Amino acid sequence: MEIIKKNKFPLVAIVAVSRDFIIGDGNKMLWHLPNDLKRLKSITLGNPLIMGRKTFDSIGKPLSGRANIILTNKKNLKDNIQFDKYFVQSFEDAVIKANDWINKKFKKNEQNTKNIFIFGGGEIYKLALNFCSQIELTLVDVNLKKGVSFPFIDKKKWKKKMIQKVEGNESYPSHSFWVYNRK
Ligand SMILES: NC(=O)c1ccc[n+]([C@@H]2O[C@H](COP(=O)([O-])OP(=O)(O)OC[C@H]3O[C@@H](n4cnc5c(N)ncnc54)[C@H](OP(=O)(O)O)[C@@H]3O)[C@@H](O)[C@H]2O)c1
């Protein structure tokens, strides 16, 4: 784990949370926010994503233009290099795989802007948040009371800044984009 703390590429959590920090019901997301999906794509494209097997199953397919690194305890799942889908069995192996993918795919001068995105869900955020230097957070203006939650963000350790607010309509609730940087 010491290796991860000093990792060359920053670990950045990316998440959408309700006001009470719920992220999903265990199977799927609880809202459909077109602006958030666009933002998520533009931020993560060309970078590796680390996600739990349940989150991968809920998405249903690898996200293109990104490495899809999936944590699982199952031993029989096969990588698919063509679609950049890789299974790993520990968080450390996930970070090693993400580093290797960037190193193989991009020249040295292209690597400066690369991040490793922690893509959820709840179990993976819990494993990874202590190692993240940044959180890209979408705050959705709803209260959900129950479901899978994002770990507690200690205000003493993080500085947050709002980037944009999106008004809701009949299709989706109001939400805002925030960046948290570790102090
Ligand atoms: N709002 C958001 O931004 C957002 C983002 C992502 C996901 N989500 C939501 O989050 C929910 C899923 O979260 P979740 O916490 O239930 O599941 P998860 O974190 O997506 O996946 C959990 C699975 O990851 C594997 N895993 C976890 N720790 C591991 C370790 N140390 N070593 C090896 N494998 C490990 C296990 O897979 P195996 O069972 O295969 O062993 C485990 O069952 C869904 O509702 C999804 O929609 C929301």
Side-chain angles (χ1 to χ4, degrees):
M1 289 299 184
E2 264 318 298
I3 300 170
I4 302 175
K5 280 190 189 146
K6 293 180 198 137
N7 200 55
K8 179 174 164 197
F9 306 109
L11 269 60
V12 177
I14 187 158
V15 67
V17 297
S18 66
R19 289 218 158 272
D20 46 0
F21 275 66
I22 301 295
I23 63 166
D25 66 359
N27 292 308
K28 54 181 188 323
M29 307 267 292
L30 297 161
W31 41 69
H32 179 73
L33 310 172
N35 284 300
D36 186 47
L37 292 177
K38 269 187 221 143
R39 179 176 158 81
L40 179 113
K41 186 169 184 184
S42 78
I43 291 175
T44 59
L45 214 57
N47 294 280
L49 314 176
I50 295 177
M51 70 189 89
R53 195 266 310 154
K54 291 183 186 168
T55 291
F56 178 72
D57 283 351
S58 80
I59 301 169
K61 62 175 170 58
L63 295 174
S64 61
R66 289 151 277 189
N68 295 252
I69 301 168
I70 303 149
L71 265 157
T72 181
N73 296 299
K74 298 183 200 302
K75 301 210 162 46
N76 54 344
L77 301 175
K78 296 265 177 294
D79 292 356
N80 185 328
I81 295 167
Q82 190 193 345
F83 293 107
D84 272 326
K85 180 173 84 167
Y86 309 99
F87 292 100
V88 289
Q89 298 194 331
S90 72
F91 181 57
E92 204 162 351
D93 282 353
V95 175
I96 291 169
K97 184 82 209 168
N99 286 341
D100 287 350
W101 185 82
I102 297 171
N103 285 324
K104 273 195 198 126
K105 205 151 176 101
F106 299 95
K107 298 192 190 100
K108 284 271 170 293
N109 65 334
E110 297 170 327
Q111 293 180 4
N112 311 332
T113 56
K114 296 295 168 195
N115 292 311
I116 296 174
F117 285 99
I118 305 303
F119 211 66
E123 289 187 31
I124 305 313
Y125 292 131
K126 260 188 215 114
L127 280 177
L129 193 61
N130 276 341
F131 303 104
C132 291
S133 53
Q134 198 176 80
I135 310 170
E136 292 279 355
L137 183 141
T138 302
L139 180 62
V140 189
D141 214 355
V142 292
N143 276 297
L144 295 169
K145 297 196 181 88
K146 64 179 178 124
V148 177
S149 54
F150 191 77
F152 172 68
I153 301 179
D154 185 348
K155 282 184 190 142
K156 289 193 237 80
K157 294 187 181 154
W158 296 89
K159 195 176 162 192
K160 64 177 185 179
K161 186 179 172 202
M162 192 171 81
I163 306 296
Q164 194 194 340
K165 198 167 171 32
V166 181
E167 289 306 326
N169 60 26
E170 63 285 347
S171 313
Y172 53 80
S174 298
H175 49 287
S176 45
F177 302 128
W178 296 77
V179 177
Y180 286 64
N181 281 298
R182 196 175 277 283
K183 286 181 185 168

